[in-house]
Amino acid sequence: MPKTDPHNQEGFACSHCRKFVPLRAPGTKHRNHCPFCLWSQHVAVSLIQDDRKSECQGLMEPIAVSAQKDAEWSLVHRCLSCGLIRTNRIAGDDDETLLLCLALRPLTNLPFPLDVLSMHRKDSQ
């Protein structure tokens, strides 16, 4: 997402889907990704919440979700320009269907055939 225009305190256009993203969101004080497509932009250098000093500015693809210790979900983003991987807390207006798709993505590409599970189950009985 582009750096916020100082003249527009309401929001910005997503660099990926181009939809307008409001700065205010339920559950977060610092909007850092688009609630419609879940993409972000590499704007931070540090983990400080309002840091916007990155020179990279690459698009950050949502690649997974992560469950934190407090049961809070975070988005896992990878920068397409420099490869940095960063987690970002989800917001209350994030697209739930896209979040579930990210959570289920590993099940769509298993590292083993499913019939191995049924054979293993029969052998253990």
Side-chain angles (χ1 to χ4, degrees), residues 1 20 23 57 81 87 108 112:
M1 268 156 265
F20 180 78
L23 288 180
Q57 299 297 309
S81 296
T87 58
T108 64
F112 51 83

Side-chain angles (χ1 to χ4, degrees), residues 86-108:
R86 191 65 50 86
T87 58
N88 292 301
R89 192 176 149 167
I90 65 165
D93 60 351
D94 286 345
D95 185 302
E96 293 98 349
T97 302
L98 289 178
L99 289 169
L100 284 173
C101 286
L102 280 174
L104 295 171
R105 185 182 283 175
L107 297 176
T108 64

Side-chain angles (χ1 to χ4, degrees), residues 8-93:
N8 185 356
Q9 298 300 315
E10 299 298 314
F12 52 88
C14 172
S15 294
H16 183 256
C17 73
R18 306 282 188 235
K19 290 186 179 177
F20 180 78
V21 178
L23 288 180
R24 297 181 188 259
T28 184
K29 293 179 184 174
H30 301 280
R31 169 76 75 183
N32 55 24
H33 62 271
C34 175
F36 306 106
C37 67
L38 306 180
W39 283 65
S40 187
Q41 188 164 354
H42 187 178
V43 295
V45 174
S46 67
L47 296 177
I48 298 171
Q49 289 291 338
D50 58 353
D51 172 21
R52 299 292 182 260
K53 298 176 183 159
S54 173
E55 292 182 16
C56 178
Q57 299 297 309
L59 281 177
M60 296 189 78
E61 177 183 16
I63 59 172
V65 291
S66 171
Q68 305 301 316
K69 292 178 185 176
D70 60 0
E72 183 89 21
W73 275 25
S74 291
L75 280 165
V76 181
H77 286 105
R78 178 178 45 227
C79 180
L80 297 180
S81 296
C82 72
L84 177 79
I85 294 179
R86 191 65 50 86
T87 58
N88 292 301
R89 192 176 149 167
I90 65 165
D93 60 351

Side-chain angles (χ1 to χ4, degrees), residues 117-125:
L117 289 178
S118 62
M119 289 184 339
H120 174 68
R121 199 167 171 193
K122 289 176 186 175
D123 291 343
S124 64
Q125 291 179 352

